Amino acid sequence: MTSVLIVDDERSMRDFLKILLEKEGHKVAVAESGNKALDVLNNLDVDVIVSDIRMPGMTGIELLETVKGKHPDLPVIMITAFASPDDAVLAMKNGAFDYITKPFNVDEIKSVIASATNKNQQTIKPQDLSASFPEIIGKSREMLKIFDMIQRVAPTPANVLIYGESGTGKELVAQAIHKHSKVAGQNFVPITCSAIPEDLMESELFGHVKGSFTGAISDKSGLFNEADNGTAFLDEIGELTPIIQTKLLRVLQEREIKPVGGTRTKRINVRIIAATNKVLEDEIREGRFREDLFYRLAVVPMRVPPLRERKEDVPMLVDYFLKKYSRQLAKEVQEISSYGLQVLMNYHFPGNVRELENIIERGVALAGSNIILPESLTFSGKTKPTNHDTINNEYENLFQAAASEEELFDLGIETIIDNLEKRLISHTLKKTNNSKIRAAELLQLSFRSLRYKVKKYGLS
Ligand SMILES: Nc1ncnc2c1ncn2[C@@H]1O[C@H](COP(=O)(O)OP(=O)(O)OP(=O)(O)O)[C@@H](O)[C@H]1O
Ligand SMILES: [Mg+2]
């Protein structure tokens, strides 16, 4: 029987988790604050802690830090709100075992607790290697696993197959593997298999000798020659035609190439990293991809997960792209409004990181102030924020748009507050169909002072 300590300032939440976990056969203790939790820890053997982050007094993160100081091996699972992805990142950075998001998914809670308490199962706790991969942004568990994997596979000569949806960062991962490999000083030569017509593919890969076909006006060395002793990156490998697949397989088996029209073979030593956004297993089943070639390429298969499976990376990526594009476009856009970020967090990103990058680039280009508002976000996919959300959050946007630092210092706080007040009142009047009585109620003003302000600002 495992013993779970639940820490939450909200009684209903404690009760809910207690009932749920007791049903699962766990022994459950509860605490309503971080300090109480530390008391419990002094008197009880606890196997896992489940703690809220936002609590009055000691926060969940502070509790996490204290607990990790005393019991580094005690798994702590943090509860975060879906709308505050930063909390999740912070929790993982501070050594949380994992996090669960509110509103709860009961199965998720059960499985996270099960994996935290299953002592036989080797807990995969990927190290935070993100500092070693500065050009790949992300600190989600999924990305940490990828960093871990890159670090382990890079120094070996094993061929790697990177697969994942378009725009997930496969090419970045390929470059990182080369950079961390023993042949980092040698060439990294990429080729996009889909971009080359079939009749030129063989010569692109293996070279040709002058005069071997019309247009072969001089010798060409080809990808494998250029990547000799280094790394060849075969992008969109799923697009190779059957004939080229067969030729490539032979090269991988025999480690020698013969240029088109040539008579002599040459030994080569090339590490292959291939990438595809197709499901190669399906291609194999449909007879479009050679299974033997697949096994040669996928000695180490690596999946780069879609962005929607690692939403907690979105804020970091947004930050990174904001800096990149405000520099590139010479604009002073520093942040995104919190509702803007929320909209992004609710989006499913069919185009993954590439799409997020494009959204932010456009957002920076379109932004009228130093903050990106939801209006400047454009989406390719179907899920957009509903009208209802937009209206509810227009107030928030008014606050966000109140003033840039520049405007504030230029116009002074009184003017900025007057402007904001004017816009908030005007907005509320719209909402109440110009009923001053109702607007005064909503804004918690007396009718007289509302009437005065309406007059002062020339609203009616
Ligand atoms: N984790 C990341 N951090 C920073 N930039 C990223 C990250 N992932 C992707 N990008 C950027 O997104 C764009 C797409 O990435 P990349 O070309 O590596 O994707 P891909 O998986 O190869 O896509 P495709 O299958 O369409 O070729 C690039 O501009 C890349 O720099
Ligand atoms: Mg690519």
Side-chain angles (χ1 to χ4, degrees):
M1 193 152 80
T2 48
S3 128
V4 185
L5 170 59
I6 293 162
V7 191
D8 201 320
D9 56 316
E10 239 185 281
R11 164 120 200 247
S12 58
M13 207 55 89
R14 292 196 301 270
D15 291 349
F16 165 76
L17 286 170
K18 187 167 165 33
I19 292 167
L20 176 79
L21 295 176
E22 281 177 343
K23 248 202 222 150
E24 286 296 296
H26 301 303
K27 202 173 129 217
V28 178
V30 293
E32 70 266 30
S33 72
N35 280 318
K36 288 265 165 60
L38 294 175
D39 282 345
V40 174
L41 277 180
N42 284 333
N43 299 309
L44 206 74
D45 246 344
V46 170
D47 296 313
V48 57
I49 298 178
V50 179
S51 171
D52 195 7
I53 291 191
R54 308 227 168 161
M55 297 184 287
M58 181 187 290
T59 68
I61 298 290
E62 285 160 356
L63 173 65
L64 171 64
E65 282 176 338
T66 313
V67 169
K68 285 280 136 185
K70 289 186 190 158
H71 316 273
D73 293 330
L74 176 57
V76 182
I77 296 165
M78 306 303 291
I79 303 171
T80 67
F82 182 64
S84 9
D86 286 346
D87 282 350
V89 174
L90 200 61
M92 296 309 285
K93 259 197 209 161
N94 281 285
F97 173 80
D98 211 333
Y99 59 89
I100 45 183
T101 40
K102 274 188 285 198
F104 290 137
N105 171 338
V106 172
D107 289 333
E108 188 194 2
I109 298 180
K110 289 182 193 166
S111 85
V112 171
I113 291 192
S115 61
T117 53
N118 185 351
K119 295 180 193 89
N120 304 327
Q121 178 190 318
Q122 201 192 354
T123 48
I124 323 160
K125 178 80 184 87
Q127 282 181 60
D128 187 351
L129 296 166
S130 48
S132 312
F133 300 95
E135 60 292 323
I136 308 182
I137 307 302
K139 288 212 172 193
S140 57
R141 205 176 159 69
E142 288 78 5
M143 286 313 287
L144 295 186
K145 274 190 214 158
I146 287 184
F147 295 151
D148 206 52
M149 188 95 159
I150 297 177
Q151 189 129 73
R152 277 185 287 139
V153 71
T156 76
N159 290 343
V160 181
L161 176 72
I162 306 169
Y163 62 100
E165 290 177 18
S166 185
T168 45
K170 296 186 294 295
E171 181 150 8
L172 281 185
V173 170
Q175 287 162 347
I177 293 174
H178 176 71
K179 225 180 273 177
H180 288 255
S181 75
K182 292 194 175 123
V183 294
Q186 306 286 333
N187 288 343
F188 174 86
V189 190
I191 188 170
T192 305
C193 302
S194 60
I196 293 157
E198 160 154 38
D199 49 348
L200 290 182
M201 192 66 192
E202 189 179 349
S203 116
E204 285 293 326
L205 290 175
F206 313 124
H208 63 239
V209 295
K210 182 177 168 181
S212 54
F213 56 89
T214 338
I217 47 174
S218 59
D219 285 1
K220 179 183 173 69
S221 69
L223 171 88
F224 274 88
N225 254 315
E226 281 163 35
D228 199 12
N229 296 314
T231 308
F233 176 49
L234 300 175
D235 203 0
E236 301 189 38
I237 192 87
E239 307 299 325
L240 283 185
T241 59
I243 294 173
I244 302 292
Q245 288 180 33
T246 307
K247 295 196 162 151
L248 179 60
L249 176 67
R250 196 171 311 136
V251 167
L252 295 188
Q253 283 166 342
E254 289 159 15
R255 301 177 156 271
E256 17 179 77
I257 54 168
K258 191 161 76 176
V260 178
T263 45
R264 288 228 299 272
T265 58
K266 182 191 166 194
R267 283 206 79 70
I268 41 117
N269 177 24
V270 174
R271 199 248 191 106
I272 305 229
I273 303 177
T276 178
N277 51 31
K278 288 193 167 167
V279 180
L280 283 187
E281 285 86 342
D282 288 349
E283 300 296 300
I284 292 168
R285 204 170 318 113
E286 308 283 326
R288 287 190 294 264
F289 203 85
R290 292 186 67 125
E291 192 168 19
D292 42 8
L293 176 60
F294 172 79
Y295 286 112
R296 285 273 164 181
L297 294 170
V299 177
V300 179
M302 264 177 91
R303 172 175 185 262
V304 184
L307 186 54
R308 66 184 162 279
E309 288 179 18
R310 46 179 164 116
K311 287 272 184 72
E312 62 272 35
D313 286 337
V314 169
M316 282 180 90
L317 285 161
V318 166
D319 253 18
Y320 176 76
F321 293 135
L322 269 176
K323 290 210 184 75
K324 175 171 170 187
Y325 287 105
S326 53
R327 207 180 314 119
Q328 228 176 71
L329 302 172
K331 290 190 73 166
E332 302 252 313
V333 183
Q334 281 131 5
E335 53 181 327
I336 184 164
S337 82
S338 68
Y339 181 55
L341 184 59
Q342 206 176 315
V343 169
L344 290 177
M345 293 298 290
N346 286 323
Y347 185 55
H348 61 297
F349 293 104
N352 293 297
V353 182
R354 180 180 292 115
E355 182 177 11
L356 176 60
E357 180 165 3
N358 292 339
I359 290 173
I360 299 300
E361 182 180 4
R362 276 196 302 271
V364 170
L366 294 175
S369 67
N370 65 352
I371 184 160
I372 297 187
L373 299 176
E375 294 87 271
S376 313
L377 301 174
T378 39
F379 299 89
S380 75
K382 291 196 185 70
T383 313
K384 284 171 199 152
T386 63
N387 211 12
H388 174 71
D389 293 338
T390 316
I391 289 168
N392 272 341
N393 283 280
E394 270 167 23
Y395 284 90
E396 192 187 336
N397 292 341
L398 287 178
F399 282 110
Q400 298 270 2
S404 65
E405 185 182 302
E406 210 171 55
E407 286 166 326
L408 177 62
F409 294 168
D410 207 29
L411 300 172
I413 192 164
E414 306 263 349
T415 311
I416 297 292
I417 289 179
D418 278 0
N419 276 339
L420 179 60
E421 186 172 64
K422 177 179 169 185
R423 278 183 283 172
L424 289 173
I425 290 173
S426 146
H427 206 77
T428 309
L429 283 170
K430 243 187 260 163
K431 196 183 170 100
T432 63
N433 284 324
N434 276 324
S435 158
K436 286 189 202 115
I437 295 176
R438 182 79 191 107
E441 248 171 46
L442 286 171
L443 295 171
Q444 303 179 29
L445 286 171
S446 69
F447 180 72
R448 283 182 51 173
S449 46
L450 180 75
R451 196 178 51 190
Y452 165 78
K453 286 172 196 287
V454 166
K455 220 164 146 191
K456 172 179 163 192
Y457 295 129
L459 308 163
S460 59

